[in-house]
């Protein structure tokens, strides 16, 4: 918990770092070290035995990363966080922390293409089944759940459809059945706090808006500290749903993570992720990248305001353009989609925007070729405006049927609107459309 309540202040002051105790450095120092000197053998034994928390080795923890983890956890209103080497690693860890071969998860169909591949193909090779359901029908999550279901997974503001996920409705279904909801909140930092709507875990690709400047790849997982991992399943005694947290772990002297975490706080989920997955699979974020993400975080609330106001103006402009068949942005949605956007996004509708050009694939590719200021890149969430043609790039590994299911049509263009002056953004779009 932060002593501050406003995100603008937490982004700058959240956590215990005030000034470096040995040098007075105001910026969080980059602790570019593999290892940390123990005070004595007793200290070393206590750290390894989790009797005391402290730095051991940078694969598992590092003070620069800790400053980032604390600030992001506070911004999301969670209990604790773990930084990792990419958003993909973060997603993988969120699921693998709960699943063993033979288990399943239920996921929204509206996903980033990389997450889709991980879920549909790679996790399957490890014996974890992902059941995809359409979030337009929240009850579909309940119908797909059985005794081996370990979590639900979804994105707050998934592109390309940009239909906001019904977080509260599905979190409530999950809580009734004892299943936690994991939210990828990459596209809606500051705008949405999924824990306030009942989610149990939040992850971000920090590569995107948190970093904000397109310099570094990273990911982070936040434990909401708000889920009962020990609840009984049916007539069970308790904890049957989550064997990885409630049965003795032979890799850590038989520790039961739900019990081992108790003296430290409601952090069983993230403690197990750090001590087991990060130890064994080894996907740490480098301290240098953690520093870059801390820099990004400092201006994130301010940037989100400008990202959102620019995107809303671009949506209005494109909606009135004769060559544009359809504009996809929460600000121009109606009905249930608008209700969800208004319920879950506060302070703006995000900076991702899609539109469909008359003329399909050829028109889409020609438009991309003509852009001058927009960068043609696979990234999103940069301070600069970005554009891409998903059917031939980000979603090209999906077959046609999968592309259609995820909302990618041949003439679809994805924009990630930056923080430049709106007149320059509109001028580049106008000349590329002309
Ligand atoms: N989640 C979302 C919503 C994304 O857009 C991305 C990447 O584009 C990822 C996760 C994966 O993040 P990374 O590229 O940092 O591995």
């Amino acid at each position: 918990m932060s002593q501050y309540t406003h995100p603008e202040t937490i982004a700058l002051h959240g956590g215990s770092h005030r000034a470096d105790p040995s040098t007075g450095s105001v910026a969080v120092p980059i602790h570019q070290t593999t290892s940390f000197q123990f005070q004595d053998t007793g200290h070393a034994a206590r750290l390894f035995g989790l009797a005391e928390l402290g730095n051991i080795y940078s694969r598992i923890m590092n003070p620069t990363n800790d400053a980032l983890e604390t600030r992001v956890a506070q911004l999301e209103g969670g209990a604790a966080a773990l930084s990792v080497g990419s958003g993909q690693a973060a997603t993988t860890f969120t699921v693998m922390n709960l699943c063993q071969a033979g288990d399943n998860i239920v996921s929204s169909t509206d996903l980033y293409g990389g997450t889709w591949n991980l879920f549909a193909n790679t996790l399957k090779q490890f014996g974890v089944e992902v059941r995809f359901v359409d979030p337009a029908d929240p009850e579909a999550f309940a119908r797909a759940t059985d005794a081996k279901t370990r979590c639900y997974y979804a994105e707050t503001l998934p592109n390309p459809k940009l239909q906001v996920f019904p977080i509260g409705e599905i979190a409530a279904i999950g809580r009734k059945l004892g299943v936690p909801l994991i939210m990828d909140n990459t596209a809606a930092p500051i705008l949405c706090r999924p824990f306030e709507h009942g989610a149990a875990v939040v992850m971000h690709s920090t590569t995107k808006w948190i970093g904000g400047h397109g310099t570094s790849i990273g990911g982070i997982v936040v434990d909401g500290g708000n889920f009962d991992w020990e609840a009984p399943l049916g007539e069970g005694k308790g904890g049957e749903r989550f064997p990885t947290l409630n049965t003795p772990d032979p890799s850590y002297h038989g520790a039961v993570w739900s019990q081992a975490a108790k003296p430290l706080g409601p952090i069983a989920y993230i403690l197990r992720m750090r001590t087991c997955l990060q130890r064994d699979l080894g996907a740490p974020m480098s301290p240098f990248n953690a520093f870059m993400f801390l820099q990004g975080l400092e201006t994130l609330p301010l940037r989100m305001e400008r990202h959102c106001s620019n995107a809303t103006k671009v949506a209005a402009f494109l909606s009135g353009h004769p060559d544009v068949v359809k504009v996809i942005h929460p600000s121009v949605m109606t009905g249930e989609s608008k209700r969800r956007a208004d319920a879950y996004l506060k302070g703006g509708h995000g900076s991702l925007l899609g539109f469909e050009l008359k003329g399909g694939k050829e028109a889409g590719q020609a438009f991309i070729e003509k852009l001058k200021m927009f960068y043609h890149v696979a990234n999103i969430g940069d301070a600069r405006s970005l554009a891409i043609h998903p059917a031939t790039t980000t979603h090209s590994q999906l077959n046609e049927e999968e592309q259609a299911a995820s909302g990618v049509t041949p003439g679809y263009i994805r924009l990630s609107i930056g923080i430049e002056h709106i007149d320059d953004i509109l001028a580049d779009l106008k000349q590329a459309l002309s």
Side-chain angles (χ1 to χ4, degrees):
M1 273 274 281
S2 174
Q3 59 174 311
Y4 304 109
T5 52
H6 297 98
E8 295 85 346
T9 313
I10 296 172
L12 288 157
H13 297 284
S16 60
H17 175 84
R18 177 72 191 164
D20 180 55
S22 57
T23 61
S25 164
V26 171
V28 175
I30 304 173
H31 292 277
Q32 195 71 26
T33 180
T34 57
S35 322
F36 301 87
Q37 163 89 346
F38 304 122
Q39 291 152 17
D40 50 43
T41 52
H43 179 229
R46 285 195 302 283
L47 294 187
F48 274 85
L50 298 179
E52 187 180 325
L53 290 184
N55 298 311
I56 299 175
Y57 187 61
S58 284
R59 178 171 2 101
I60 303 167
M61 74 286 280
N62 177 285
T64 313
N65 297 49
D66 179 65
L68 175 71
E69 288 158 355
T70 307
R71 258 176 221 177
V72 174
Q74 290 186 354
L75 272 177
E76 286 290 1
L82 175 69
S83 55
V84 292
S86 68
Q88 282 300 103
T91 301
T92 307
F93 276 25
T94 60
V95 174
M96 290 188 78
N97 205 34
L98 298 174
C99 288
Q100 305 179 105
D103 294 344
N104 69 75
I105 75 167
V106 182
S107 171
S108 167
T109 43
D110 295 352
L111 290 177
Y112 162 60
T115 308
W116 179 282
N117 272 323
L118 168 70
F119 284 2
N121 300 307
T122 304
L123 286 184
K124 197 198 266 177
Q125 290 162 12
F126 291 94
V128 174
E129 181 199 354
V130 180
R131 301 174 175 178
F132 293 101
V133 299
D134 184 348
D137 173 16
E139 284 302 322
F141 278 78
R143 288 195 297 275
T145 304
D146 64 20
K148 291 273 190 182
T149 303
R150 305 296 177 225
C151 62
Y152 297 159
Y153 191 97
E155 293 180 19
T156 306
L157 183 56
N159 83 83
K161 289 184 192 163
L162 301 177
Q163 304 262 2
V164 174
F165 185 77
I167 305 172
E169 290 89 326
I170 288 160
I173 289 170
R175 282 180 184 269
K176 228 189 289 163
L177 300 170
V179 179
L181 173 62
I182 299 173
M183 289 304 305
D184 178 339
N185 201 31
T186 298
I190 309 294
L191 309 178
C192 179
R193 300 220 309 168
F195 295 137
E196 289 175 355
H197 307 288
V201 174
V202 164
M203 65 72 59
H204 284 269
S205 163
T206 52
T207 313
K208 309 295 176 343
W209 286 264
I210 289 180
H213 298 82
T215 63
S216 317
I217 300 283
I220 199 159
V221 181
V222 187
D223 183 340
N226 61 2
F227 195 82
D228 182 3
W229 303 103
E230 297 174 79
L233 180 59
E235 300 299 306
K237 290 199 204 69
E240 295 87 352
R241 173 85 64 193
F242 306 106
T244 60
L245 298 179
N246 292 313
T247 52
D249 183 344
S251 82
Y252 226 104
H253 310 302
V256 175
W257 294 108
S258 58
Q259 306 306 316
K262 286 208 166 123
L264 307 170
I267 59 164
Y269 176 85
I270 209 78
L271 182 68
R272 197 246 174 200
M273 188 180 288
R274 186 185 292 282
T275 50
C276 298
L277 296 187
Q278 192 66 297
R279 178 197 61 188
D280 297 348
L281 301 181
M285 176 188 287
S286 81
F288 181 81
N289 283 0
F291 175 83
M292 298 303 280
F293 294 129
L294 279 164
Q295 291 302 109
L297 208 60
E298 292 192 353
T299 56
L300 178 66
L302 205 53
R303 281 187 284 111
M304 289 312 287
E305 276 179 34
R306 174 66 83 90
H307 275 300
C308 292
S309 71
N310 277 353
T312 298
K313 288 173 189 157
V314 170
F317 161 71
L318 289 172
S319 297
H321 197 284
D323 292 336
V324 173
V325 184
K326 188 174 176 192
V327 176
I328 298 148
H329 185 255
S331 67
V332 293
M333 287 177 184
T334 55
E336 177 60 11
S337 305
K338 176 175 164 34
R339 189 200 66 76
R340 287 183 186 175
D342 292 345
Y344 293 110
L345 301 180
K346 302 290 177 205
H349 285 119
S351 62
L352 288 176
L353 185 150
F355 68 100
E356 175 90 28
L357 274 173
K358 272 184 196 159
K361 183 176 157 195
E362 287 69 29
Q365 288 185 310
F367 168 81
I368 296 278
E369 298 287 349
K370 279 187 81 178
L371 287 169
K372 290 193 175 125
M373 187 187 78
F374 276 67
Y375 280 88
H376 176 205
V377 295
N379 197 25
I380 50 176
D382 196 309
R384 305 160 190 85
S385 288
L386 316 173
I388 200 158
H389 180 241
T392 52
T393 56
T394 52
H395 287 63
S396 60
Q397 283 149 35
L398 308 184
N399 64 35
E400 228 169 274
E401 209 174 89
E402 288 170 337
Q403 281 193 1
S406 70
V408 171
T409 47
Y412 184 94
I413 301 286
R414 182 183 76 196
L415 303 179
S416 174
I417 302 298
I419 61 173
E420 301 94 342
H421 195 284
I422 186 63
D423 292 351
D424 293 320
I425 294 174
L426 294 179
D428 198 27
L429 293 173
K430 273 180 204 160
Q431 67 78 27
L433 284 166
S434 66

